[in-house]
Amino acid sequence: MKAFRGPKVWLWRWRRNPLKRRADVVEAWVVLGAWLLTVVVGVLGGLAAARSVEDGLARERAASRLVVARVAATAPGAPSTRGHAASGERVWAEVSWTAAGGSTHTARVRVEPGSRPGTPVTVWTDPQDRLVSRPTSAAEAAFRGTLIGVLVGVSAAAVPFVGGLALSGRLERRRMEAWDAEWARLGPQWGRMV
């Protein structure tokens, strides 16, 4: 089978060939440019997004601080015998804590059912002593950054890839139209005797 096909020629679109048209060269450069842009835009977009997410989560982690709050009144529900709810269910209760500046703050957080007044509860606060959710760990931030980076990279790479496909398709249509025009001009002459 290889004898009929001939040897594989690398970079054949850029080699000299009397049958090669200008459109073939343009299409070769469009395809090469589209692939290069797809790779570069995808990688750079993904890396930038991953770095941005990880930096934002690191700033959030650095700004958050762990505070031990105390339950203000008995939490609703029956306390479990093992020290934590069997179903993992938690209830809302009022807790209070003293900020670094000495001011007292209160808020509602999820606690074990039946928690008694004075029970310690771990909460996270921001620099203004407002409650915030637990910050992500470094491993969670890396995973989230990687996941978002991959999604952004693929999405960003789709733009030049689809643009290259569209431009290549347009060039292909123009080439076919040119071949049709030449065939319409030269085709009828094939049946004549010279």
Side-chain angles (χ1 to χ4, degrees), residues 76-78 80 83-92 110-115:
S80 70
H84 63 280
S87 66
E89 186 176 327
R90 296 172 73 87
V91 296
W92 289 100
R110 308 278 275 177
V111 299
E112 299 287 336
S115 295

CSV table of all heavy atoms in Angstrom, one decimal, residues 76-78 80 83-92 110-115:
chain,number,residue,atom,x,y,z
A,76,PRO,N,-31.5,24.4,70.3
A,76,PRO,CA,-32.6,23.5,70.2
A,76,PRO,C,-32.2,22.1,69.9
A,76,PRO,O,-31.2,21.9,69.3
A,76,PRO,CB,-33.4,24.2,69.1
A,76,PRO,CG,-32.5,25.2,68.4
A,76,PRO,CD,-31.4,25.4,69.3
A,77,GLY,N,-33.1,21.2,70.2
A,77,GLY,CA,-32.9,19.8,69.9
A,77,GLY,C,-32.3,19.0,71.1
A,77,GLY,O,-31.9,19.6,72.1
A,78,ALA,N,-32.3,17.7,71.0
A,78,ALA,CA,-31.8,16.9,72.0
A,78,ALA,C,-30.4,16.6,71.8
A,78,ALA,O,-30.0,16.3,70.7
A,78,ALA,CB,-32.6,15.6,72.1
A,80,SER,N,-27.0,14.6,71.6
A,80,SER,CA,-26.7,13.2,71.3
A,80,SER,C,-25.9,12.6,72.4
A,80,SER,O,-25.2,13.3,73.1
A,80,SER,CB,-26.0,13.0,69.9
A,80,SER,OG,-24.7,13.5,70.0
A,83,GLY,N,-21.9,12.8,71.7
A,83,GLY,CA,-21.2,14.1,71.6
A,83,GLY,C,-21.4,14.7,70.3
A,83,GLY,O,-21.0,15.9,70.1
A,84,HIS,N,-21.9,14.0,69.3
A,84,HIS,CA,-22.2,14.7,68.0
A,84,HIS,C,-23.5,14.0,67.4
A,84,HIS,O,-23.8,12.9,67.8
A,84,HIS,CB,-21.1,14.6,67.1
A,84,HIS,CG,-20.7,13.2,66.7
A,84,HIS,ND1,-19.9,12.4,67.4
A,84,HIS,CD2,-21.0,12.5,65.5
A,84,HIS,CE1,-19.8,11.2,66.9
A,84,HIS,NE2,-20.4,11.3,65.7
A,85,ALA,N,-24.2,14.7,66.6
A,85,ALA,CA,-25.4,14.2,66.1
A,85,ALA,C,-25.1,13.0,65.2
A,85,ALA,O,-24.2,13.1,64.4
A,85,ALA,CB,-26.2,15.3,65.3
A,86,ALA,N,-25.9,12.0,65.3
A,86,ALA,CA,-25.7,10.8,64.5
A,86,ALA,C,-25.9,11.1,63.0
A,86,ALA,O,-25.2,10.5,62.2
A,86,ALA,CB,-26.6,9.7,64.9
A,87,SER,N,-26.8,11.9,62.7
A,87,SER,CA,-27.1,12.2,61.2
A,87,SER,C,-26.2,13.3,60.7
A,87,SER,O,-26.2,13.7,59.5
A,87,SER,CB,-28.5,12.6,61.0
A,87,SER,OG,-28.8,13.8,61.7
A,88,GLY,N,-25.4,13.9,61.6
A,88,GLY,CA,-24.5,15.0,61.2
A,88,GLY,C,-25.3,16.3,61.1
A,88,GLY,O,-24.8,17.4,60.7
A,89,GLU,N,-26.6,16.3,61.6
A,89,GLU,CA,-27.4,17.5,61.5
A,89,GLU,C,-27.0,18.5,62.6
A,89,GLU,O,-26.6,18.1,63.7
A,89,GLU,CB,-28.9,17.1,61.8
A,89,GLU,CG,-29.8,18.3,61.6
A,89,GLU,CD,-31.3,17.8,61.8
A,89,GLU,OE1,-31.6,16.6,61.4
A,89,GLU,OE2,-32.0,18.6,62.3
A,90,ARG,N,-27.0,19.7,62.2
A,90,ARG,CA,-26.6,20.8,63.2
A,90,ARG,C,-27.8,21.8,63.2
A,90,ARG,O,-28.6,21.9,62.2
A,90,ARG,CB,-25.3,21.5,62.7
A,90,ARG,CG,-24.2,20.4,62.8
A,90,ARG,CD,-22.9,21.0,62.2
A,90,ARG,NE,-22.2,22.0,63.0
A,90,ARG,CZ,-21.4,21.8,64.0
A,90,ARG,NH1,-21.1,20.5,64.3
A,90,ARG,NH2,-20.8,22.7,64.6
A,91,VAL,N,-27.9,22.6,64.2
A,91,VAL,CA,-29.0,23.6,64.4
A,91,VAL,C,-28.4,25.0,64.6
A,91,VAL,O,-27.2,25.1,64.9
A,91,VAL,CB,-29.9,23.2,65.6
A,91,VAL,CG1,-30.6,21.9,65.4
A,91,VAL,CG2,-29.1,23.2,66.9
A,92,TRP,N,-29.2,26.0,64.3
A,92,TRP,CA,-28.8,27.3,64.5
A,92,TRP,C,-28.9,27.7,66.0
A,92,TRP,O,-29.8,27.4,66.6
A,92,TRP,CB,-29.7,28.3,63.7
A,92,TRP,CG,-29.4,28.2,62.2
A,92,TRP,CD1,-30.2,27.5,61.3
A,92,TRP,CD2,-28.4,28.8,61.5
A,92,TRP,NE1,-29.6,27.6,60.0
A,92,TRP,CE2,-28.5,28.4,60.1
A,92,TRP,CE3,-27.3,29.6,61.8
A,92,TRP,CZ2,-27.7,28.8,59.1
A,92,TRP,CZ3,-26.4,30.0,60.8
A,92,TRP,CH2,-26.6,29.6,59.5
A,110,ARG,N,-24.2,27.4,63.1
A,110,ARG,CA,-24.7,26.0,63.2
A,110,ARG,C,-23.8,25.3,64.3
A,110,ARG,O,-22.6,25.4,64.3
A,110,ARG,CB,-24.5,25.3,61.9
A,110,ARG,CG,-25.1,26.0,60.7
A,110,ARG,CD,-26.5,25.8,60.5
A,110,ARG,NE,-26.8,24.5,59.8
A,110,ARG,CZ,-28.0,24.1,59.6
A,110,ARG,NH1,-29.0,24.7,60.0
A,110,ARG,NH2,-28.2,22.9,59.0
A,111,VAL,N,-24.6,24.7,65.3
A,111,VAL,CA,-23.9,24.0,66.4
A,111,VAL,C,-24.6,22.6,66.5
A,111,VAL,O,-25.6,22.3,65.9
A,111,VAL,CB,-24.0,24.8,67.7
A,111,VAL,CG1,-23.3,26.1,67.6
A,111,VAL,CG2,-25.4,25.0,68.1
A,112,GLU,N,-24.0,21.8,67.4
A,112,GLU,CA,-24.6,20.5,67.7
A,112,GLU,C,-25.9,20.7,68.4
A,112,GLU,O,-26.1,21.6,69.2
A,112,GLU,CB,-23.7,19.7,68.6
A,112,GLU,CG,-22.3,19.4,68.1
A,112,GLU,CD,-22.3,18.3,67.0
A,112,GLU,OE1,-23.3,17.5,67.0
A,112,GLU,OE2,-21.4,18.4,66.1
A,113,PRO,N,-26.9,19.9,68.1
A,113,PRO,CA,-28.2,20.0,68.8
A,113,PRO,C,-28.0,19.8,70.3
A,113,PRO,O,-27.3,19.0,70.8
A,113,PRO,CB,-29.1,18.9,68.2
A,113,PRO,CG,-28.4,18.5,67.0
A,113,PRO,CD,-27.0,18.8,67.1
A,114,GLY,N,-28.7,20.7,71.1
A,114,GLY,CA,-28.7,20.6,72.5
A,114,GLY,C,-27.5,21.1,73.2
A,114,GLY,O,-27.2,20.9,74.4
A,115,SER,N,-26.6,21.9,72.5
A,115,SER,CA,-25.4,22.4,73.0
A,115,SER,C,-25.8,23.4,74.2
A,115,SER,O,-26.7,24.2,74.0
A,115,SER,CB,-24.6,23.2,72.0
A,115,SER,OG,-24.1,22.3,71.0
